[in-house]
Amino acid sequence: MSGAPWVLRSLLFVPGNRPDMIAKAGRYGADALILDLEDGVAPDEKARARQVVAGALDAGVPGSPIVFLRVNGSGSGLLAWDLREAFRPGAAALCLPKCETPEAVLTLDASLQALESQHRLPRGGIRILPMIESARGVVQAAAIAGSHARVCGLAFGAEDYTADLGVARTRQGAELAYPRAAVSVAARAAGVDAVDGIYADFRDADGLRADTGAARALGYTGKMLIHPAQVAPVHAAFAPEAAEVEQARRIVAAFEAAEARGSGIVVVDGAMVDRPVVLRARRTLAIASRPAAGRERD
Ligand code: COA
Ligand code: MG
């Protein structure tokens, strides 16, 4: 993610009350895990989930993946308890669900400052990934993305968003066209990355690839997952096609040669290439050469 020390295409949810799943989750090649205390855990399991998550973070999650912790939202009455009982230094970031205001981020920042001094962690190191999953959240998305330097991205949650609006979640997804694009634009405007929400039908790899491709076309660079089988299709959907990479190389080379001759415009494959085209090509090359799963940025 921009501004963050990692590159994340896939963020796999693991229910916080499933030590068996947490123990094996680092094997599946996801770029990050999200240990969940929120909607993946039933109310009467929350207390146990906090203990399981704290124990896993204390012991170190096998495979040393990047670990996010999804706490319960600001309005839940559970957030302070989650932070106190479940947070441990092994968590790199907090996923803040149902985020609707910049103040929710600032309040969480204050709690994180306290946790950082308690655990002797570098100040400001714990990142925040707000989830935008309501009409209010969409309207406030730009303010939320720009609210604090801890914010490493915005995640769009279509399931809760459609529930909030009281509309059906259709396969075509017309109801998501606006909010999904709005969250991506808000993230970009703040210089952070956009992470798309889950694709629930975890046996449908073709549908997942198409859904991820649609998100990528809107500017999303990562996706939340619920099942290990979703890792490979999502990585494939975010990888530029070989032909795209080849064309990007030709564009950059031709442009640099033209620039060296003092010209700002060049024609490649019959189409004009100017600065924005070169910027897109350079971005394609950067994505194509980025480090493998979970590896830190230089
Ligand atoms: N994280 C880690 N491991 C997972 C996993 C996950 N999210 N989902 C499945 N696995 C593991 C299973 O434990 C199983 O491991 P094993 O073969 O070593 O026993 C393996 O992957 C295959 O699982 P499978 O049998 O295909 O799925 P399932 O029927 O056991 O579980 C779900 C299906 C949807 C219940 C499960 O994937 C899940 O709980 N996902 C997370 C849901 C969630 O967090 N929702 C809230 C956020 S939206
Ligand atoms: Mg949600």
Side-chain angles (χ1 to χ4, degrees):
M1 291 185 194
S2 319
W6 49 54
V7 181
L8 306 176
R9 298 158 293 183
S10 54
L11 299 92
L12 175 63
F13 275 112
V14 192
N17 59 337
R18 292 293 302 267
D20 55 326
M21 282 190 180
I22 295 173
K24 289 192 263 184
R27 293 180 191 169
Y28 304 124
D31 291 338
L33 304 179
I34 307 176
L35 305 188
D36 190 19
L37 299 172
E38 202 222 11
D39 286 352
V41 177
D44 59 359
E45 280 284 297
K46 301 259 188 207
R48 200 175 70 85
R50 291 184 192 104
Q51 286 177 3
V52 168
V53 165
L57 290 170
D58 278 338
V61 177
S64 309
I66 293 171
V67 175
F68 281 54
L69 182 57
R70 183 165 75 165
V71 289
N72 289 278
S74 312
S76 67
L78 302 172
L79 175 54
W81 196 6
D82 289 341
L83 292 175
R84 197 169 54 241
E85 306 279 318
F87 178 84
R88 293 292 189 275
L94 293 185
C95 182
L96 181 64
K98 302 184 176 66
C99 186
E100 299 195 320
T101 61
E103 290 74 30
V105 174
L106 299 180
T107 305
L108 181 57
D109 165 60
S111 307
L112 293 182
Q113 286 187 36
L115 281 174
E116 283 165 351
S117 41
Q118 180 194 333
H119 293 283
R120 296 172 193 280
L121 292 167
R123 196 180 163 107
I126 307 165
R127 312 310 290 259
I128 300 175
L129 177 63
M131 294 187 70
I132 306 298
E133 39 190 358
S134 66
R136 256 190 110 196
V138 171
V139 169
Q140 291 288 323
I144 291 168
S147 63
H148 198 279
R150 288 186 196 270
V151 174
C152 60
L154 289 183
F156 175 58
E159 313 297 326
D160 277 291
Y161 171 83
T162 45
D164 180 43
L165 239 69
V167 298
R169 173 104 158 83
T170 65
R171 272 213 166 258
Q172 299 77 5
E175 68 283 1
L176 301 181
Y178 171 70
R180 209 183 194 189
V183 168
S184 167
V185 171
R188 183 66 223 137
V192 300
D193 284 352
V195 177
D196 195 35
I198 62 152
Y199 185 76
D201 190 352
F202 59 88
R203 307 265 179 236
D204 175 15
D206 288 343
L208 172 63
R209 257 189 293 271
D211 188 52
T212 309
R216 182 183 162 205
L218 291 175
Y220 285 84
T221 50
K223 191 164 176 68
M224 292 174 156
L225 318 181
I226 53 165
H227 191 281
Q230 296 185 314
V231 173
V234 162
H235 287 188
F238 279 126
E241 308 269 327
E244 227 179 309
V245 176
E246 186 41 45
Q247 192 196 30
R249 277 205 188 98
R250 283 205 307 278
I251 287 172
V252 170
F255 188 77
E256 283 172 358
E259 246 184 354
R261 294 193 305 268
S263 162
I265 295 183
V266 67
V267 174
V268 176
D269 301 338
M272 183 193 76
V273 168
D274 57 3
R275 221 177 79 83
V277 180
V278 177
L279 289 179
R280 284 202 304 272
R282 288 202 172 116
R283 185 171 160 79
T284 299
L285 295 181
I287 290 171
S289 66
R290 67 186 169 184
R295 285 245 313 277
E296 299 218 338
R297 280 185 181 169
D298 298 335

